Amino acid sequence: VSKVDASDEAKLQEFLKSRTDQYMRPRTVRYSYVKFEPSEFLSRVDLAEEDVRELYEQKQSQFYEPKQYKLRQIAFEKAKEENSALEAMVSGSEKKDSPSNTAKKELAKDVVERLKKGEDFGELAKKLSEDKTSAQSGGEVGWIASADLDPIVREIVDRMDTGKYSDVIETDSRFLVTFLDEVKDRKLKAFDEVRPGDALIGTLAAL
């Protein structure tokens, strides 16, 4: 309205012609389709054993079990920091732990010293760990996939031998002492593990 007299039909027509591209409707398409879910037709498929094995070979990357660790831990929860990393960067000051966190770190160091003297990891976990869920079972957290571990913990655990405990590990929220019980390396599931009951075919059909 600010550019043309809207009451003048001729001027409106002229304005439209000079800006045709701005008033074009996009191209539209109407279509119909039928959708087939492969899994719904498995009962009609008669695959020879060699066909199934060929599918298995083609899609082996779908059947790997991730690397896993069986861990125990003694955890001390960190209090909220007095100044965050961002605040320290903005102010130019060093990031400082709260007195509470300094005390928690000393508790974790004391655990390591007691382990060096031969005290039992499970008993220390029951008495001292602030992770009450795992403390009840002597610090056991069970099997954990490598990808699910805190990156800081994963880097250290990757270098540990089974049957050994770590030094104090500091994450964003905790001070940890970790014990590595067992390791399962990443491995491909055998054909016979995924073949029973046509589970293999169903899995592949869904991909």
Side-chain angles (χ1 to χ4, degrees), residues 20-84:
T20 302
D21 291 344
Q22 298 179 25
Y23 296 98
M24 296 289 287
R25 289 180 178 174
R27 179 173 180 266
T28 58
V29 177
R30 173 181 289 179
Y31 66 95
S32 300
Y33 67 93
V34 177
K35 183 178 180 180
F36 294 92
E37 291 291 346
S39 59
E40 296 177 2
F41 290 84
L42 289 178
S43 60
R44 304 185 188 183
V45 177
D46 184 18
L47 289 176
E49 189 70 10
E50 57 266 28
D51 295 325
V52 180
R53 286 189 176 274
E54 184 178 349
L55 286 172
Y56 171 77
E57 296 293 336
Q58 292 174 356
K59 300 291 185 178
Q60 279 191 357
S61 62
Q62 306 294 328
F63 299 106
Y64 273 93
E65 292 182 343
K67 187 173 185 178
Q68 299 179 68
Y69 301 95
K70 189 177 182 182
L71 301 173
R72 286 183 278 163
Q73 66 180 21
I74 299 172
F76 298 95
E77 305 295 338
K78 293 174 73 173
K80 187 180 185 303
E81 294 168 344
E82 292 180 341
N83 60 333
S84 67

Side-chain angles (χ1 to χ4, degrees), residues 80-85 88 93-99 101-102:
K80 187 180 185 303
E81 294 168 344
E82 292 180 341
N83 60 333
S84 67
S93 63
E94 291 186 3
K95 179 183 175 183
K96 297 178 181 178
D97 278 336
S98 68
N101 284 343
T102 300

Side-chain angles (χ1 to χ4, degrees), residues 8-199:
D8 188 323
E9 183 69 20
K11 288 183 178 180
L12 279 176
Q13 290 286 350
E14 184 180 345
F15 182 84
L16 175 63
K17 289 178 182 179
S18 66
R19 291 167 173 78
T20 302
D21 291 344
Q22 298 179 25
Y23 296 98
M24 296 289 287
R25 289 180 178 174
R27 179 173 180 266
T28 58
V29 177
R30 173 181 289 179
Y31 66 95
S32 300
Y33 67 93
V34 177
K35 183 178 180 180
F36 294 92
E37 291 291 346
S39 59
E40 296 177 2
F41 290 84
L42 289 178
S43 60
R44 304 185 188 183
V45 177
D46 184 18
L47 289 176
E49 189 70 10
E50 57 266 28
D51 295 325
V52 180
R53 286 189 176 274
E54 184 178 349
L55 286 172
Y56 171 77
E57 296 293 336
Q58 292 174 356
K59 300 291 185 178
Q60 279 191 357
S61 62
Q62 306 294 328
F63 299 106
Y64 273 93
E65 292 182 343
K67 187 173 185 178
Q68 299 179 68
Y69 301 95
K70 189 177 182 182
L71 301 173
R72 286 183 278 163
Q73 66 180 21
I74 299 172
F76 298 95
E77 305 295 338
K78 293 174 73 173
K80 187 180 185 303
E81 294 168 344
E82 292 180 341
N83 60 333
S84 67
L86 178 60
E87 290 169 338
M89 183 176 65
V90 171
S91 65
S93 63
E94 291 186 3
K95 179 183 175 183
K96 297 178 181 178
D97 278 336
S98 68
S100 175
N101 284 343
T102 300
K104 293 291 184 73
K105 190 171 186 178
E106 290 303 315
L107 286 173
K109 288 181 178 179
D110 183 61
V111 165
V112 174
E113 293 303 315
R114 293 172 69 171
L115 289 169
K116 289 179 180 178
K117 293 175 182 177
E119 291 195 47
D120 182 73
F121 191 97
E123 291 302 315
L124 287 174
K126 290 178 182 178
K127 295 175 184 176
L128 303 174
S129 182
E130 294 179 354
D131 182 341
K132 299 307 178 185
T133 302
S134 63
Q136 294 175 2
S137 57
E140 291 185 7
V141 292
W143 287 101
I144 302 178
S146 177
D148 293 333
L149 282 172
D150 183 296
I152 297 171
V153 177
R154 180 170 63 243
E155 182 179 353
I156 292 171
V157 171
D158 273 340
R159 301 195 302 265
M160 290 174 61
D161 295 325
T162 56
K164 301 294 184 180
Y165 57 84
S166 71
D167 203 342
V168 177
I169 304 172
E170 181 176 356
T171 70
D172 289 340
S173 60
R174 290 174 159 186
F175 295 105
L176 295 170
V177 180
T178 298
F179 192 100
L180 178 60
D181 282 310
E182 295 181 57
V183 179
K184 289 180 182 178
D185 289 322
R186 181 175 181 267
K187 71 162 190 169
L188 175 66
K189 290 182 180 180
F191 176 80
D192 291 339
E193 291 182 71
V194 294
R195 180 65 173 86
D198 288 336

